[in-house]
Amino acid sequence: QKEVEQNSGPLSVPEGAIASLNCTYSDRGSQSFWYRQYSGKSPELIMSIYSNGDKEDGRFTAQLNKASQYVSLLIRDSQPSDSATYLCAVNSGSSASKIIFGSGTRLSIRP
Amino acid sequence: DAGVIQSPRHEVTEMGQEVTLRCKPISGHNSLFWYRQTMMRGLELLIYFNNNVPIDDSGMPEDRFSAKMPNASFSTLKIQPSEPRDSAVYFCASSPAGGVTEAFFGQGTRLTVV
């Protein structure tokens, strides 16, 4: 089993709708992260979430459930500029100091 | 801060040649990560350092790969000899407090081995 699993997509969402991205992980990591990667670019951090529950930042909401080893990202009012690959990551290892990524979900916002 | 700096941005080399990728982490960050990204395998962690010390190199694919961090401001990833299957984008990332906080990525080195 891979350490971090995501649906590869592509996920197609109409402009203005809510995009929902999901991620499960095998190690009981302490922190979770969502990165966005545009084609040909490097990953950039969108959200980090360390505690169970929801964390909101503008149009983005991350939800973490450590017991279920599940983290999600909701994007409200989706814009064409949100079209990218979204990478879920968790820290892992005995000292929780290595960051492991999922393979990413490709999101396409259609006008 | 200039962010994580990688060089070269692009590298094309012939099979069997030695390749060295370079990384300068963000000043003050004490952890450094090397990742490899391909369409087939996604973003794989190769090795990471804490305070210049290699902590986990279990992701290094084979003995042809080696990484060093001689000081807090410089790291190298070397492939010798290179093979076509090593073609990928290699990212370096740094973090201020291990994996407890997020990692910041460099622009990557696109390696093509022909």
Side-chain angles (χ1 to χ4, degrees):
Chain A
Q1 182 185 4
K2 292 184 64 175
E3 292 190 61
V4 182
E5 297 213 39
Q6 299 180 251
N7 188 323
S8 62
L11 175 65
S12 181
V13 173
E15 184 175 355
I18 296 175
S20 178
L21 306 167
N22 304 312
C23 173
T24 57
Y25 53 92
S26 58
D27 194 357
R28 293 187 179 274
S30 301
Q31 285 85 26
S32 301
F33 311 93
W34 282 101
Y35 285 75
R36 178 177 61 201
Q37 186 176 27
Y38 292 114
S39 180
K41 302 295 185 182
S42 56
E44 56 179 339
L45 182 75
I46 300 176
M47 300 267 300
S48 58
I49 183 165
Y50 301 161
S51 303
N52 281 325
D54 297 357
K55 180 180 178 182
E56 185 175 320
D57 184 359
R59 296 186 296 111
F60 298 93
T61 299
Q63 299 174 321
L64 176 63
N65 185 324
K66 291 188 179 183
S68 300
Q69 295 170 244
Y70 171 86
V71 60
S72 66
L73 180 70
L74 299 178
I75 306 174
R76 292 182 300 280
D77 187 24
S78 297
Q79 303 296 311
S81 59
D82 295 327
S83 297
T85 296
Y86 289 79
L87 300 163
C88 171
V90 297
N91 61 5
S92 180
S94 58
S95 58
S97 53
K98 66 178 182 180
I99 302 175
I100 305 297
F101 283 80
S103 55
T105 298
R106 281 192 297 132
L107 175 65
S108 176
I109 307 300
R110 57 182 190 270
Chain B
D1 198 314
V4 177
I5 300 173
Q6 292 186 246
S7 65
R9 291 292 306 277
H10 302 274
E11 177 80 33
V12 180
T13 190
E14 291 185 346
M15 182 175 63
Q17 295 298 306
E18 176 182 303
V19 175
T20 299
L21 311 181
R22 297 173 176 81
C23 175
K24 175 179 169 57
I26 295 173
S27 178
H29 284 193
N30 66 357
S31 291
L32 183 141
F33 307 84
W34 282 102
Y35 292 92
R36 176 174 68 177
Q37 188 172 41
T38 61
M39 289 291 292
M40 291 294 294
R41 302 176 68 89
L43 193 62
E44 303 174 275
L45 177 64
L46 301 178
I47 186 172
Y48 77 98
F49 297 81
N50 276 352
N51 297 316
N52 312 337
V53 177
I55 303 300
D56 187 338
D57 64 354
S58 59
M60 297 285 261
E62 47 197 276
D63 292 345
R64 297 184 296 107
F65 286 69
S66 62
K68 294 182 179 179
M69 191 165 186
N71 57 61
S73 60
F74 184 66
S75 177
T76 60
L77 178 68
K78 183 182 292 186
I79 308 172
Q80 180 185 21
S82 58
E83 296 182 3
R85 61 194 169 114
D86 301 330
S87 298
V89 179
Y90 291 81
F91 288 105
C92 175
S94 69
S95 173
V100 177
T101 58
E102 62 271 19
F104 296 83
F105 282 76
Q107 293 302 302
T109 295
R110 180 173 296 277
L111 173 65
T112 302
V113 183
V114 298

